[in-house]
Amino acid sequence: MGETVSGESSRERMMHAVGFHEHGDIEKFQLLEVKRPVPTDDEVLVDVAAAALNHQDLFAVRELDHYVPEYPFWGGGDISGRITELGEDVDGWSIGDPVVVNPAVTCGECEFCIQGEHSMCKHYQVYGEHRKGGFAEYVTVPAENLERVPENYDLVTAAAVPLAAATAWRALSTRGQIKPFEDVLIVGATGGVGTYAIQIAKNVFNVNTLYATTSTEEKAEFLRDIGVDHVINYTEENFDERIWEMTNKRGVDVVYNNVGGNTWVPAMRSLRNGGRLIVSGATAGPNPETEIRLIFVRQLEVIGSTQNSRKDFQEVLEYVWNGTIEPIVQEAYPLEEFDRAFSKMANRELHGKVLLSQE
């Protein structure tokens, strides 16, 4: 095939990207002019409509030098757009098709891929960490990593879905296996993953009582509006003590904690005997103090979860497309205003997702 939307070769064209030449903090991000990527035979070239920010984009510039394949590097694991060029071996897709990208690239051949556990793949890669992502005008994507966006669904909003929604879905559904009769606590609930976790727990699994932690009354009101039954301001009281009071010293069945740091032990203390602590992130620190006795005395389960398999991705998209789960976009900035977007994330001023949009 080798088609392009204009019929012209893209092989010597340039594009803009938001990336960095060296590691440090967010001041290292620049608006770059770089060569437009060229799709291989099994890839497509996507004209990016929008890309959402994630904490992994901060980690990439601050500390993931061992992941970065070459410089300059640009992140952006959450990507939506339209196909503008097809590789020679790509079938089933046409130029102009609206798509969202599954950010997890796997080998498809190892023992875990064969079992459908793609996030355990020995050669697992993620856009924005191991591969240059969507903070650019164009990105190349394996055709098998594309999912079609319904024509009646906003293409920019679709960029707010992949990493956060699929991470929350795998953690709560596939790995955590939450049930309708259970009480669930989400620690650090106002970010992208947290807002999806709330909707998954409440709108899909109809959990009994949903608790969440946050840091301000403004954020607390936001969380109540999207389905949280009880919000605890962790700057004013110890959330584990408050959970103990509200549950009559029983504790909750499940805690979902993507924060780590000094929330780790209180999260365990919030659980009932035999409860489950699910973790798929550590935005406040990966090496917290812990309390091993809580684990064996209360017979707790600590469940790790990483991003998504293809099945996880497709399952959560169904709930997004039918409106059961709604992406919460706080703000969309043009590519040239990347510094405002990254500052908002670095300063933890989020309730939902922030995007870099090109539409």
Side-chain angles (χ1 to χ4, degrees):
M1 296 180 184
E3 301 176 49
T4 67
V5 70
S6 63
E8 300 175 4
S9 171
S10 66
R11 297 184 184 279
E12 298 302 324
R13 291 186 175 183
M14 304 297 285
M15 70 174 185
H16 288 109
V18 173
F20 54 89
H21 286 276
E22 60 181 353
H23 293 272
D25 214 325
I26 60 173
E27 73 276 0
K28 297 295 184 181
F29 287 112
Q30 304 173 48
L31 184 63
L32 308 167
E33 187 173 26
V34 296
K35 287 185 178 181
R36 186 188 299 189
V38 177
T40 62
D41 289 348
D42 62 352
E43 291 181 331
V44 305
L45 183 69
V46 174
D47 185 347
V48 177
L53 276 64
N54 290 282
H55 278 281
Q56 76 167 26
D57 300 310
L58 300 183
F59 296 148
V61 70
R62 288 171 174 170
E63 58 190 78
L64 297 185
D65 55 313
H66 55 296
Y67 283 171
V68 172
E70 63 177 351
Y71 297 93
F73 185 80
W74 49 93
D78 283 336
I79 307 163
S80 66
R82 291 186 181 273
I83 295 174
T84 191
E85 186 174 345
L86 302 168
E88 291 289 342
D89 296 334
V90 174
D91 292 315
W93 294 99
S94 300
I95 288 171
D97 283 345
V99 295
V100 67
V101 176
N102 180 347
V105 180
T106 60
C107 72
E109 299 176 351
C110 70
E111 59 180 304
F112 300 107
C113 287
I114 291 172
Q115 297 171 42
E117 292 289 1
H118 300 98
S119 64
M120 298 184 187
C121 174
K122 295 179 179 179
H123 306 285
Y124 191 77
Q125 293 187 332
V126 179
Y127 278 94
E129 286 190 25
H130 316 90
R131 291 185 172 215
K132 295 176 181 180
F135 296 153
E137 293 179 297
Y138 297 89
V139 63
T140 51
V141 181
E144 65 183 9
N145 280 69
L146 300 175
E147 295 292 336
R148 194 178 304 274
V149 176
E151 287 290 350
N152 63 348
Y153 200 90
D154 181 65
L155 191 56
V156 171
T157 301
V161 177
L163 274 169
T167 295
W169 179 265
R170 179 170 179 81
L172 294 180
S173 177
T174 307
R175 298 285 291 155
Q177 299 185 8
I178 61 173
K179 306 293 191 300
F181 54 82
E182 292 186 311
D183 296 335
V184 176
L185 165 65
I186 299 172
V187 177
T190 52
V193 174
T195 56
Y196 282 114
I198 289 166
Q199 295 182 73
I200 290 167
K202 205 68 175 177
N203 301 351
V204 178
F205 290 98
N206 192 29
V207 298
N208 183 46
T209 306
L210 183 60
Y211 303 87
T213 69
T214 193
S215 58
T216 68
E217 181 55 33
E218 179 186 8
K219 291 180 178 179
E221 283 299 319
F222 163 72
L223 294 176
R224 294 185 191 104
D225 287 344
I226 62 172
V228 177
D229 298 303
H230 300 287
V231 183
I232 304 165
N233 187 330
Y234 63 79
T235 68
E236 298 178 352
E237 57 186 335
N238 296 323
F239 71 82
D240 54 332
E241 294 177 2
R242 185 67 179 131
I243 288 289
W244 209 239
E245 292 172 5
M246 287 191 290
T247 60
N248 196 25
K249 298 184 179 181
R250 176 186 182 268
V252 297
D253 301 282
V254 175
V255 175
Y256 184 33
N257 187 338
N258 286 304
V259 179
N262 61 9
T263 70
W264 186 249
V265 172
M268 289 193 288
R269 288 180 179 152
S270 301
L271 286 164
R272 66 162 172 84
N273 289 351
R276 309 191 300 286
L277 173 57
I278 309 168
V279 56
S280 58
T283 58
N287 299 300
E289 291 186 6
T290 193
E291 175 52 270
I292 295 173
R293 290 172 296 184
L294 280 172
I295 298 174
F296 66 77
V297 170
R298 293 194 187 176
Q299 302 183 62
L300 306 178
E301 295 181 60
V302 178
I303 302 170
S305 183
T306 296
Q307 294 188 357
N308 60 277
S309 68
R310 291 175 190 164
K311 182 173 181 287
D312 296 322
F313 193 67
Q314 291 165 350
E315 285 177 343
V316 76
L317 282 180
E318 287 300 315
Y319 288 104
V320 172
W321 302 151
N322 69 25
T324 303
I325 298 171
E326 296 184 7
I328 297 171
V329 177
Q330 181 177 351
E331 202 155 0
Y333 296 92
L335 202 64
E336 296 78 13
E337 296 182 23
F338 64 90
D339 52 341
R340 295 177 62 194
F342 281 107
S343 293
K344 190 172 286 289
M345 169 157 282
N347 294 330
R348 297 182 178 273
E349 298 172 353
L350 302 184
H351 50 268
K353 300 292 288 182
V354 172
L355 310 180
L356 293 181
S357 172
Q358 299 180 64
E359 290 203 349

